[in-house]
Amino acid sequence: MPADLLDLVQSLTQLIGEETALLGQPGGYRRIGALATAKARVVALIETRLAQLARETPDWVETLEPAVRAGLADASETLMHAARANGAVLARQIALSDELLAAIAQEAQRRTGATATAYGAGGLLWSTEQAAPIAINTSL
């Protein structure tokens, strides 16, 4: 196995770890964009390298020396653990964002009284809640 593939897997693991740490810090999300771009680039490099190896030497994994194969297995396992931790933090951040947006929308609706009332065909009065006008300023 070429050493560059192992280096790429380790780089991706490091980037994921940095992203996880940033997400745990107040205001850390502001620097996530650069990490996400770097992660996407490293993933693309890994995919390209794996495709090249599969095309040039379809049985490249079987031809690896045992020590190199063990190194790749260890790096892959470390990457998997880092990705799981990152996924848990991202899921928590998304859930918190959803809850915050729902609370803001509910308060905006309460303050604006965004409801509509109408008479039905049988003379019954019914009211519906309309979406509160909310805009998100992404430049902050």
Side-chain angles (χ1 to χ4, degrees):
M1 176 197 87
D4 62 333
L5 184 58
L6 181 59
D7 290 342
L8 288 170
V9 170
Q10 291 170 338
S11 294
L12 181 58
T13 303
Q14 181 180 357
L15 288 170
I16 289 173
E18 289 176 24
E19 182 182 54
T20 303
L22 275 177
L23 287 169
Q25 297 174 0
Y29 63 89
R30 293 182 183 123
R31 298 181 305 206
I32 295 295
L35 279 175
T37 301
K39 277 184 2 182
R41 194 174 359 195
V42 173
V43 167
L45 289 171
I46 290 172
E47 290 175 344
T48 301
R49 189 65 177 123
L50 288 173
Q52 178 187 15
L53 286 168
R55 184 177 58 251
E56 292 173 357
T57 313
D59 61 342
W60 69 272
V61 175
E62 289 80 22
T63 63
L64 293 176
E65 296 176 19
V68 175
R69 184 182 289 193
L72 181 58
D74 290 343
S76 297
E77 187 172 343
T78 303
L79 174 61
M80 181 183 65
H81 290 301
R84 282 186 184 151
N86 185 262
V89 170
L90 285 171
R92 187 170 59 244
Q93 290 291 334
I94 290 169
L96 288 171
S97 296
D98 287 346
E99 290 175 16
L100 180 61
L101 288 173
I104 291 169
Q106 184 178 17
E107 180 62 15
Q109 189 166 18
R110 186 189 68 78
R111 287 181 177 240
T112 61
T115 58
T117 305
Y119 285 101
L124 297 174
L125 187 65
W126 55 277
S127 63
T128 59
E129 295 179 355
Q130 298 178 353
I134 295 197
I136 299 174
N137 185 350
T138 60
S139 65
L140 294 178

